[in-house]
Amino acid sequence: MYLIVGLGNPGKQYEATRHNMGFDTIDYLIEKYNIPQAGVKFNAMYGKGIIGGEKVILIKPLSFMNLSGGPVQEMASYFKVDPETELIVIYDDIDLEPGQLRIRKQGSAGGHNGIKDIIRRLGTEKFLRIKVGVGAKPKGWDLADHVLSRFVDSDRRLVDEAIEKAGDAVEKIVSQGADAAMNEYNRKKA
């Protein structure tokens, strides 16, 4: 069984912002695979279903981004999921251009406060991540203002494609393994 976590901030004012790439990808997976919502547990909305022939639990933490670790750790513990082999976290990355994906098996938080909190709560940096590129902050901008802003139309199209690719990468990970997904999705754009 896999626990698939999409990071974001709850509330209408944060919908379609750069920081909500994880939520948007979970929404895509829910729709594509007809995953029914099971309710709210440990301050996270969740649903159970099948992707790529494997049982999955999709979650969107309802805590704000910086406190994502609590719901993730509690859900992993409750459903007896091993974070190092059965957890996939999807989130925004300012170091990637809009539309780019990067899959990693482990690593530091790289300045992402949601990931930092998950690492702190789980006590490990070893868990799968799918990073969805949202572009670097413009010179002179505050980072929070950048990640809480919306995309210009040309970038939005690229990001919508990346959300679908991130969803497809989830299926590839659960059905064929992380290496197969990394080989397919970590390639540089031509």
Side-chain angles (χ1 to χ4, degrees):
M1 179 178 348
Y2 282 86
L3 182 64
I4 302 166
V5 179
L7 298 187
N9 284 314
K12 281 255 185 247
Q13 69 270 35
Y14 299 110
E15 286 179 3
T17 63
R18 286 174 163 77
H19 228 15
N20 275 30
M21 291 299 93
F23 275 17
D24 292 349
T25 304
I26 293 294
D27 290 341
Y28 170 79
L29 290 168
I30 287 168
E31 188 173 315
K32 181 174 181 180
Y33 296 100
N34 253 342
I35 307 285
Q37 184 174 340
V40 175
K41 188 182 286 294
F42 307 119
N43 203 24
M45 290 175 45
Y46 76 105
K48 296 179 181 180
I50 304 285
I51 294 176
E54 295 288 331
K55 290 182 184 175
V56 296
I57 299 164
L58 305 180
I59 78 166
K60 295 187 341 187
L62 297 175
S63 57
F64 283 90
M65 180 70 79
N66 298 356
L67 301 173
S68 298
V72 172
Q73 184 269 320
E74 290 177 54
M75 290 291 251
S77 178
Y78 180 81
F79 287 108
K80 296 175 178 45
V81 169
D82 178 1
E84 294 189 5
T85 59
E86 301 170 317
L87 172 66
I88 302 169
V89 180
I90 307 159
Y91 62 100
D92 60 293
D93 190 321
I94 62 168
D95 292 327
L96 297 173
E97 290 300 313
Q100 282 190 307
L101 287 188
R102 184 77 66 238
I103 301 169
R104 293 282 182 255
K105 293 181 181 179
Q106 64 181 23
S108 71
H112 195 286
N113 289 329
I115 296 297
K116 192 180 298 181
D117 195 53
I118 292 171
I119 290 169
R120 183 181 69 80
R121 290 296 297 258
L122 294 177
T124 184
E125 292 184 347
K126 292 181 180 179
F127 55 88
L128 275 167
R129 305 110 193 268
I130 300 175
K131 305 174 186 187
V132 181
V134 297
K137 75 177 181 71
K139 189 174 175 136
W141 276 50
D142 178 71
L143 181 59
D145 290 340
H146 175 62
V147 296
L148 296 177
S149 68
R150 289 177 171 76
F151 295 95
V152 297
D153 287 345
S154 58
D155 285 348
R156 185 74 238 184
R157 283 189 298 279
L158 294 172
V159 169
D160 287 341
E161 290 172 14
I163 288 167
E164 288 185 25
K165 282 189 214 159
D168 295 343
V170 166
E171 180 180 9
K172 175 98 45 183
I173 289 168
V174 301
S175 65
Q176 298 178 33
D179 289 336
M182 290 169 73
N183 286 339
E184 183 167 340
Y185 294 100
N186 284 358
R187 286 182 272 163
K188 289 268 187 218
K189 286 183 143 180

